[in-house]
Amino acid sequence: MRFTLKQIEYFVAAAETGSITAASRRVHISQPSISAAIAQLEAVFGITLFIRHHAAGLSLTQEGHSFLRESRNLLLHATELDMTASGLSGQVSGMIEVGCMTTLYSLIVPELLQEFETRHPDAQLRIIAGHHSELIEKLRNGEICAMLAYDLNMPQDLDFFPLAALPPFVFVSAQHRLARRRHVALSELEHEPFLLLDLPLSRDYFLSLFSHAGIVPSIMGRFQSIDVIRSLVARGEGYSLANARPRNKAALDGRPLAYLALKDTPQPLLYGTATIANIRQTARATAFLQVCRELLAGKPLPGSD
């Protein structure tokens, strides 16, 4: 081969730390060795991997970003091969990093972490919270191997496996005039103050529900935290919409809420796992996806009403 796994490892360290000095400390090798490995890779492939800044370290070129993604995958599969050659192919061990939408994170992560660690005590599961677009970017860059997400705006280069439906619902203060109702139509709330969860995917989805109903909401506030919205709604400042329906019907300050099913909605939102299409998953990733399907598929969201 024209390059070695060590050279790839040194390149990844430099890319992730943004510095030859920091990469040297991470992999416990001299700075000249890191520089030489990068130079060899650039010479072999005929590309420039980094832009060198005299005082500010390194930044990846466009080709460098692509090379980093493939290098991470190569190192992951090299680890898998080493495990198999050592007779450990039946075990799942090492670090696995996945992503989860912020609106699902607090409900899914505790149970998923506990179940995965119980089944695979030699593995470490790290779950990163994020928004739809940033998690997709991390998935494409190889920073995570899978993500828990909604089925909205899913790119064609990702495989989506649906786990369960999450129909939208309205939540209001326990003192609201409609709090004792079980169902409500958006038209009944058209002129009341609406508090919007202002995250990229959530914002577009919830506004589409109003468009489907043929009404324009009276948006009185936009917030990026569902907990802030729940607290404001519980204080009687307006109403809001959500899909993840916690069993706990109270805001963080203890003030009570009421949940109402939404009448005449479009097809319920689906959540599930997304992975890069047409690539072989590592044993760790396969184990994670299996736990997700056994624990979550066709079942209510953990901690939901």
Side-chain angles (χ1 to χ4, degrees):
M1 294 181 67
R2 298 181 297 164
F3 62 92
T4 68
L5 289 178
K6 280 295 182 185
Q7 290 171 336
I8 296 294
E9 181 186 358
Y10 298 163
F11 159 72
V12 171
E16 291 180 344
T17 61
S19 162
I20 296 293
T21 302
S24 175
R25 287 195 296 265
R26 176 192 282 194
V27 297
H28 307 293
I29 200 73
S30 69
Q31 294 181 41
S33 296
I34 301 285
S35 297
I38 294 171
Q40 175 66 15
L41 291 173
E42 290 181 322
V44 164
F45 294 104
I47 57 176
T48 300
L49 297 172
F50 291 106
I51 300 172
R52 277 77 168 174
H53 307 283
H54 293 298
L58 306 170
S59 60
L60 287 165
T61 62
Q62 184 174 355
E63 294 82 1
H65 279 288
S66 298
F67 197 80
L68 176 60
R69 180 174 61 250
E70 297 303 325
S71 294
R72 283 171 171 156
N73 287 332
L74 177 60
L75 292 177
L76 279 174
H77 291 308
T79 300
E80 293 292 320
L81 178 61
D82 183 58
M83 290 173 59
T84 301
S86 302
L88 300 177
S89 58
Q91 299 181 14
V92 176
S93 62
M95 174 69 74
I96 175 174
E97 295 182 307
V98 302
C100 180
M101 294 283 287
T102 54
T103 48
L104 298 171
Y105 194 87
S106 60
L107 290 173
I108 286 181
V109 168
E111 189 164 347
L112 192 55
L113 271 175
Q114 187 175 47
E115 182 66 22
F116 186 86
E117 291 172 358
T118 298
R119 295 191 190 190
H120 305 289
D122 294 326
Q124 296 173 286
L125 176 61
R126 180 173 177 239
I127 306 180
I128 302 166
H131 309 319
H132 188 73
S133 58
E134 64 184 350
L135 289 180
I136 287 176
E137 187 66 21
K138 288 181 182 296
L139 190 58
R140 287 172 170 162
N141 287 339
E143 296 177 55
I144 57 176
C145 65
M147 60 184 280
L148 287 153
Y150 302 117
D151 63 338
L152 296 175
N153 300 335
M154 193 59 65
Q156 292 186 350
D157 62 330
L158 302 188
D159 281 335
F160 179 79
F161 181 88
L163 292 171
L166 295 175
F169 69 98
V170 172
F171 58 98
V172 297
S173 163
Q175 287 72 47
H176 192 276
R177 62 184 177 85
L178 300 174
R180 295 182 179 275
R181 294 263 299 272
R182 296 184 62 185
H183 301 83
V184 66
L186 282 179
S187 58
E188 298 178 74
L189 296 161
E190 182 175 6
H191 301 297
E192 296 201 21
F194 174 59
L195 304 180
L196 175 66
L197 181 60
D198 198 13
L199 300 175
L201 194 67
S202 300
R203 175 182 61 240
D204 296 340
Y205 170 73
F206 291 131
L207 292 179
S208 75
L209 297 181
F210 289 98
S211 178
H212 176 80
I215 62 176
V216 177
S218 300
I219 300 175
M220 299 301 292
R222 297 169 178 262
F223 304 90
Q224 294 188 334
S225 168
I226 190 64
D227 286 328
V228 169
I229 292 176
R230 285 171 64 87
S231 293
L232 289 170
V233 167
R235 291 169 180 266
E237 295 295 321
Y239 73 98
S240 193
L241 295 167
N243 290 87
R245 184 169 169 151
R247 188 175 295 120
N248 177 21
K249 296 182 181 179
L252 290 179
D253 60 8
R255 287 180 170 84
L257 294 161
Y259 299 160
L260 296 82
L262 196 56
K263 294 180 181 178
D264 304 323
T265 61
Q267 184 139 357
L269 194 61
L270 295 177
Y271 87 96
T273 57
T275 55
I276 296 293
N278 302 317
I279 68 165
R280 183 177 67 86
Q281 298 295 335
T282 65
R284 290 188 295 273
T286 300
F288 169 76
L289 295 171
Q290 184 66 26
V291 170
C292 286
R293 293 176 186 185
E294 293 181 10
L295 186 68
L296 304 172
K299 301 174 184 177
L301 201 63
S304 65
D305 181 50

